[in-house]
Amino acid sequence: MTEAAEPQHIVTRFAPSPTGRLHVGHGWSALMAWDMARAHGGVFRLRVEDIDGTRSRPEHVAGIVEDLQWLGLDWDGDIIFQSRRLGQYDAALKRLKEMGLTYPCFCTRADIAASGSAPHGAEGPVYPGTCRRLSGEERQGRIAAGEPHAWRIDMARATAQAGPLAWQAGTFPFGKPGETSIVAAHPITAGDVVLARKDAPASYHLSCTLDDAAMGVTHVLRGADLRTATDIHRLIQTLLALPTPIYIHHPLLVDAEGRRLAKRSGSIALADLRAHGADPAQLAADLRAGRFPIGISVAQA
Ligand code: GLU
């Protein structure tokens, strides 16, 4: 553990996907990121990760704004919408293509599932590399024929080009401000992840990495489920010469059965608590103190 000098200026963010109402875990995460910024006279930004055209809904954006405001949170500057930044993602993808680090992938989910041999990584099944082995001629022919395709990173090549990778893990708000440690990144275990989806010129990994850099984010505070994503984001930063924030991964909240809170599984939504007359100031104080509604607790690591 090394003591690093605290950055002059702190910029944190909360980056929800508008695919449902926010639950208590989102509220906890947003409060911590807001507190980190506000405690240091820094900046707190809100980014809506809405490139998933089929699952993102405008009414959920309104719900996110309502829920955060109800909890007493505000944000600096305009809300950033990823759906309005597709041109930036496309330009970055073009650079990675020119560097020879990507390939088009025509596989459907069913193709990948049927390949059977795929080992499971923290990011889900690791892509078996089927389309990496296609010839240049076949790729061009299938693209020219209009066959839908995603773009994947050639992870072996990209990591070889990038060399050894590491990121700085912060501990605040769980430890002291300025306390960080160096974590080696091993993105190769995630395999050839998608950089651009069939239906959008970006994936979560590409858009999130580019946006954190464009927004000047100095500290990314997010759930421990995104720990492997951080390794991938670190790789993309190196390839595209982008700055690297400090990362803090907070534990996830679970319900009484030990299941992760999810937007879809009837977890306690902030809107439900509000409808039942919860006092937002009390709830925010409780979450800040690590006191959660009945049945909800921090997952054991
Ligand atoms: N949009 C992601 C989510 O809602 C979070 C991304 C991040 O914080 O990097 O799970």
Side-chain angles (χ1 to χ4, degrees), residues 89-133:
Y89 310 145
D90 206 26
L93 179 66
K94 195 158 166 258
R95 281 183 60 194
L96 293 169
K97 283 182 191 170
E98 285 163 4
M99 290 161 81
L101 300 177
T102 64
Y103 62 86
C105 174
F106 306 92
C107 292
T108 59
R109 273 174 210 270
D111 291 335
I112 298 171
S115 76
S117 61
H120 231 79
E123 289 279 298
V126 173
Y127 180 63
T130 321
C131 288
R132 193 191 329 114
R133 292 183 277 273

Side-chain angles (χ1 to χ4, degrees), residues 13-17 26 47 49 204 208 212 220-223 225-226 233 263:
R13 49 62 160 190
F14 180 57
S17 309
H26 293 116
R47 178 170 81 228
E49 303 210 323
Y204 160 63
C208 174
D212 284 337
V220 170
L221 182 117
R222 61 184 174 196
D225 53 331
L226 294 170
H233 299 182
K263 294 194 186 97

Side-chain angles (χ1 to χ4, degrees), residues 134-148:
L134 297 178
S135 68
E137 205 178 324
E138 182 164 358
R139 283 175 190 168
Q140 272 159 23
R142 290 172 76 169
I143 291 175
E147 193 173 333

Side-chain angles (χ1 to χ4, degrees), residues 63-270:
I64 287 166
V65 166
E66 202 174 288
D67 293 344
L68 293 178
Q69 286 176 339
W70 178 71
L71 265 187
L73 302 184
D74 58 0
W75 45 90
D76 299 298
D78 293 335
I79 302 175
I80 303 293
F81 289 90
Q82 291 196 322
S83 56
R84 299 182 194 162
R85 291 181 39 79
L86 301 184
Q88 322 289 323
Y89 310 145
D90 206 26
L93 179 66
K94 195 158 166 258
R95 281 183 60 194
L96 293 169
K97 283 182 191 170
E98 285 163 4
M99 290 161 81
L101 300 177
T102 64
Y103 62 86
C105 174
F106 306 92
C107 292
T108 59
R109 273 174 210 270
D111 291 335
I112 298 171
S115 76
S117 61
H120 231 79
E123 289 279 298
V126 173
Y127 180 63
T130 321
C131 288
R132 193 191 329 114
R133 292 183 277 273
L134 297 178
S135 68
E137 205 178 324
E138 182 164 358
R139 283 175 190 168
Q140 272 159 23
R142 290 172 76 169
I143 291 175
E147 193 173 333
H149 55 281
W151 286 88
R152 289 183 181 273
I153 193 163
D154 183 332
M155 192 54 94
R157 266 198 203 193
T159 49
Q161 172 155 336
L165 296 167
W167 44 269
Q168 255 185 298
T171 56
F172 190 72
F174 303 101
K176 295 192 200 103
E179 189 175 56
T180 59
S181 55
I182 304 294
V183 179
H186 301 290
I188 195 137
T189 58
D192 294 353
V193 294
V194 170
L195 291 177
R197 300 149 46 114
K198 282 183 181 168
D199 59 351
S203 65
Y204 160 63
H205 295 307
L206 187 62
S207 58
C208 174
T209 307
L210 290 167
D211 289 350
D212 284 337
M215 292 161 70
V217 173
T218 60
H219 291 68
V220 170
L221 182 117
R222 61 184 174 196
D225 53 331
L226 294 170
R227 166 69 189 68
T228 310
T230 298
D231 287 5
I232 299 165
H233 299 182
R234 185 68 193 91
L235 170 66
I236 296 172
Q237 286 155 3
T238 299
L239 299 173
L240 295 174
L242 300 172
T244 307
I246 290 173
Y247 289 92
I248 300 128
H249 299 99
H250 62 75
L252 299 179
L253 298 186
V254 290
D255 64 15
E257 278 79 47
R259 287 178 312 218
R260 272 174 50 178
L261 302 193
K263 294 194 186 97
R264 56 198 168 277
S265 68
S267 311
I268 299 190
L270 295 173

